[in-house]
Amino acid sequence: MPQPAAIESGDRSHALQPVESVAQISVILQDTDPTLDPALAASARTAAGEGVVLLRNDGVLPLPAADAGAVAVFGRVQIDWFAVGYGSGGDVKVPYVWNLIAGLRDAGVAVDEELAAVYRDWSVENRPNLDGTWGTWPHHFPEMPLDPALAAAAATRAETAVVVIGRAAGEARESILEPGSYYLTGDERAMLDAVTAAFEKVAVVLDAGNVIDLGWLEEYGDRIGAVLYAWQGGMEGGRAVAGVLAGEASPSGRLTDTIARSDADYPSAPNFGDPLVGVYAEDVFVGYRYFETFAPERVLFPFGFGLGYTTFEIEVVERQADAGVFRAVVEVRNTGAIHSGKEVVQVYVGAPIEARLAQPVKRLAAFAKTDELAPGESQRLELTFALADFASYDDSGVTGNRSAYVLEPGEFPVFVGADVRQATQVAAFEVEALQVVRQLAEACAASPAVPFDRMIVAHDADGRAVVGWETVPTATVDRATRVLAALPAELEQAGDRGIRLDDVASGEATLDAFVAQLSDEELALLARGDVTMHSPLGAPGNAGVLGGVSESLREKGVRPITTTDGPSGLRLASYASLLPSGTALASTRNAPLVRELAALHGQEMVRKGSDVLLSPGMNIHRDPLCGRNFEYYSEDPLVTGRMGAAVVAGVQSAGVSACPKHFAANNQETNRTRHDSRVSERALREIYLRGFEICVREAAPRTLMTSYNKINGVWAHYHHDLVTTILRGEWGYTGCVITDWWMEDAADPDFPDLADNAYRVRAQVDVLMPGGVKTDAGPQAYADDSILASLARTDGLTRGELQRGARNVLGLVLALAPVIDARA
């Protein structure tokens, strides 16, 4: 959500005031937040550690024990640690943050204190500026110019060097193709030159929420012996990374994105960043789906890759591919002699070579992570998937079954291994004849007014896959007919009969009987929040309140529902925990751990007065430059769906609500409220909606948030096809749908008597948040009257539609009432 000018930006001073020791934490908490749960902090630290991805190691890591020599740490980010990215997803008032240098000391590493003092003094004198306006935060902190003599002197006291490089991006703040963002700066290059010239053992730690350019690793070659991608691990992240460096835990994170040799190698690169239009020309070939099919040689580190401090043997001891279900029992053995560790097993599925629908060579179908295995110890994992879940959507009719998920005839190979590149074939499905898995209806198709081409598979003279192109199928459905067919019946208004919402909860009255009492004005109030952020009806610093926003509604038992920003923590006026970023959590590949962390986070919501957490962020990492990638999980929809479902299930186990966002195709921050994502129906369904679908079906989130952007010319908060046809119709979603904060004005192109909020209600987007109007002058503390004005028109919004939305809102209130009442 945007930051209104009238509201102060969150307190980012935590980035500059790191904790120094474990003993200091109890003192800090007594002064700030004695209610912080140590179990939540411990779980966050575990998750941050498991999310660390080791990309290279020639024996430099783990770092030597204290009695075996000192370690020289270079780079100001050792002190000014990036714990999280920018914007509403990270602006948490956190009581403390570990940085790396304090974490290393805590882990017992003998830090070269003489060098550490130089960086400390320089950093104190050269504080980063975090006082910029919304969306202008720094991508990096200027590095201390390193005198090669200082590095040479440190090499006389220490054998091993750690170089720390940090980056940040965020909401309304893309990464950019410039030094200090996607690329290294001159001072960072000079630092690497000086350190690699002075030390034989060099490790690089990358503290970033986005993938950045790593092409320079090939230039330095074996002069850099180890590379650790730390992501952004929240308040315990610096300590967790230090623990991994010190060998307290073996790294077990796995990449959730492909790291290519250059930005230009990503298939989205030619079509990212335009302020008005984003053409998803790569179609279903996002990330590894593209690279493994067309350009494996352009990959530095493949999807799913990650090393540890030990080695593992993966053996498939049982396998079965019958009746459309693959099942494998995989034995994983720690074959190392010194270190324990965890391994991730990944299963991929291919498609018939002769398929008429263009297919990537591999798609992730399942994954699982072992427990901690000691040297020589083994564990068996069972992995399964249904082939039907990987049917392809025919949006053109090329298979003879338009608007259907189909399995084409031929062989579907199944691969098992440690990452997408190492996975080898272990089985195959044989589909003898085309199978229609799900027959649906066209929805969200591209506009005929703006045709574009998409990527498909062609072959060269030698039979190798090369990029081909075809025109994207465009919409054929008459929208007005579809909308009118879906209009609900109206409940006859009964006037106030004395029924309270508590009577519905106790079974003494039906929800329809309660809704029938509501006046048009009360129905319209349920369709918007309490006008502004920081509503007096909720906990101080809240993002907004919905539900019982008027005295008349509250008298009828409709509780006010408090929302708070996420996903890295509760953005409130009070102190709260700062959790690992979405990418860090997904890199753990440990859904049970993520669920456990989210459950503890849900309990913190109960204590702090939050009813709805605006989390998880579930948009796809389409391009490495997207500013909010740190909030999201992966370029892969299965990883996204499984991790999102784990967060939702964990949070909602505490009786509160999660709110997956941003639905859908919100894959860039540049001009995000006016940007049009032009995407084929197939790519939308198979890539950009698939994670949401998994989350909805597996975890049943009570709330869901639409995105700011247009999808094929229609803003998501007005998109009837997206919200009514797909989300509610196909997926059976019965929860409450809210907008992202404020929305764009527009009139319904098929129904002139509907505009703005009336247009939104017809799409079944239930609540405008935070409830007020946004003008060119900024957010305004009043609501528009478009709902009631449209309701009064013959061809305007129907009362039945307004009552339908009220049911969805009241269903959320009923679900959350026990927690709200217990808190009161």
Side-chain angles (χ1 to χ4, degrees), residues 487-770:
L487 292 182
E490 177 184 330
L491 295 173
E492 183 178 353
Q493 287 185 311
D496 190 346
R497 299 269 180 105
I499 301 171
R500 302 185 78 257
L501 196 59
D502 303 272
D503 299 325
V504 178
S506 66
E508 296 176 35
T510 66
L511 183 57
D512 277 357
F514 179 85
V515 172
Q517 296 183 118
L518 301 179
S519 67
D520 292 344
E521 290 74 14
E522 288 173 321
L523 291 169
L525 285 166
L526 286 173
R528 66 161 175 83
D530 190 31
V531 186
T532 66
M533 297 175 68
H534 295 202
S535 166
L537 298 175
N542 63 78
V545 167
L546 69 147
V549 299
S550 71
E551 185 175 346
S552 69
L553 287 169
R554 293 193 292 275
E555 287 176 349
K556 292 180 174 67
V558 181
R559 284 77 165 168
I561 302 298
T562 299
T563 67
T564 53
D565 279 325
S568 293
L570 305 179
R571 188 182 181 210
L572 287 166
S574 61
Y575 287 91
S577 304
L578 182 64
L579 306 183
S581 66
T583 304
L585 293 178
S587 295
T588 69
R589 296 295 182 95
N590 190 338
L593 173 63
V594 173
R595 188 188 189 285
E596 172 191 301
L597 174 63
L600 293 167
H601 195 204
Q603 294 169 23
E604 183 173 65
M605 290 174 62
V606 174
R607 294 194 300 273
K608 297 290 183 179
S610 170
D611 305 315
V612 177
L613 178 68
L614 305 179
S615 166
M618 296 189 61
N619 295 109
I620 294 294
H621 291 178
R622 175 180 176 244
D623 189 277
L625 299 183
C626 176
R628 296 183 86 167
N629 277 354
F630 81 96
E631 291 188 47
Y632 308 146
Y633 296 121
S634 176
E635 67 188 24
D636 180 76
L638 180 67
V639 172
T640 298
R642 292 279 186 265
M643 292 301 165
V647 168
V648 170
V651 165
Q652 295 191 168
S653 70
V656 287
S657 175
C659 181
K661 62 183 186 181
H662 308 88
F663 190 67
N666 184 171
N667 303 110
Q668 77 171 44
E669 288 299 292
T670 302
N671 199 31
R672 58 193 174 145
T673 63
R674 301 293 177 90
H675 183 262
D676 188 6
S677 297
R678 295 182 183 168
V679 55
S680 76
E681 188 186 358
R682 180 187 176 194
L684 185 67
R685 288 178 176 276
E686 291 189 25
I687 304 294
Y688 302 100
L689 297 184
R690 179 63 177 143
F692 285 101
E693 182 179 9
I694 291 169
C695 183
V696 166
R697 292 188 186 279
E698 295 186 359
R702 296 182 174 116
T703 322
L704 188 142
M705 180 196 293
T706 57
S707 57
Y708 283 126
N709 55 284
K710 296 178 182 178
I711 301 168
N712 291 325
V714 181
W715 274 291
H717 47 256
Y718 296 133
H719 218 308
H720 187 276
D721 268 10
L722 179 70
V723 180
T724 295
T725 303
I726 295 178
L727 175 65
R728 297 193 187 276
E730 293 179 10
W731 302 353
Y733 184 70
T734 59
C736 180
V737 178
I738 65 175
T739 68
D740 203 339
W741 266 225
W742 301 281
M743 66 181 197
E744 299 299 314
D745 295 340
D748 190 314
D750 294 310
F751 303 99
D753 283 338
L754 277 81
D756 305 338
N757 281 297
Y759 183 11
R760 167 184 59 81
V761 169
R762 174 152 288 182
Q764 283 202 78
V765 178
D766 303 308
V767 185
L768 169 68
M769 291 299 293

